[in-house]
Amino acid sequence: MHPFRKAVEDRDERAITALLAENVVFTSPVAFKPYPGKPITAAILRGVLRVFEDFRYVREIADPGGRDHALVFTATVDGREINGCDFLHFDEDGLIDDFTVMVRPLSAAQALSAAMGAQFERIAAEAAAEAGAAAERER
């Protein structure tokens, strides 16, 4: 089992964040433009943990070189079953530098969009706090 899969299935937010590269880019299934950076990506993933119910990975697909992974999942959002896939790319240090999510069906994607939209003020505040803490550590 891939360490990211284990971290998500264990709902281990620290382990999930530790697997993200500083320059990770998160591409949402419901937002127009990608979100660059570890603080916002980690905050979005915490938001997803809050809105997904009955989440489970059902398949794991990896390229022979180990730099690309696809993790197929199912979950429920606001009573709608959602099927999706996390596409992960890993940098030379083994950290996720590209994270793209695709989901279906449309009604579930719309429920996900609404649920995450309701979380977004909290997500933005968490990301800002993380970015500030990271800047302080660098000083």
Side-chain angles (χ1 to χ4, degrees):
M1 178 183 302
H2 192 274
F4 181 80
R5 177 179 180 172
K6 178 163 180 29
V8 171
E9 289 180 346
D10 290 347
R11 302 181 69 82
D12 185 342
E13 295 175 4
R14 288 182 194 264
I16 292 168
T17 301
L19 290 166
L20 300 174
E22 290 299 325
N23 65 337
V24 63
V25 175
F26 180 82
T27 304
S28 165
V30 295
F32 176 71
K33 54 185 190 171
Y35 296 95
K38 185 174 183 172
I40 189 67
T41 299
I44 289 169
L45 294 176
R46 286 191 301 274
V48 169
L49 289 176
R50 291 188 294 266
V51 302
F52 275 169
E53 302 167 21
D54 305 320
F55 180 90
R56 73 187 201 301
Y57 284 117
V58 295
R59 189 173 330 140
E60 189 172 328
I61 306 163
D63 80 290
R67 302 274 308 264
D68 289 289
H69 252 69
L71 299 170
V72 180
F73 64 84
T74 64
T76 304
V77 177
D78 195 27
R80 289 182 176 82
E81 185 175 324
I82 193 165
N83 306 106
C85 191
D86 292 337
F87 296 98
L88 311 175
H89 181 269
F90 296 86
D91 66 14
E92 57 279 349
D93 296 322
L95 299 175
I96 299 167
D97 63 0
D98 188 67
F99 193 127
T100 300
V101 182
M102 301 288 212
V103 297
R104 66 158 307 277
L106 178 59
S107 61
Q110 290 168 329
L112 176 61
S113 179
M116 290 300 289
Q119 293 275 322
F120 217 80
E121 189 172 313
R122 178 177 176 181
I123 289 168
E126 288 178 7
E130 279 186 43
E136 278 297 312
R137 285 191 299 272
E138 289 180 11
R139 289 184 191 163

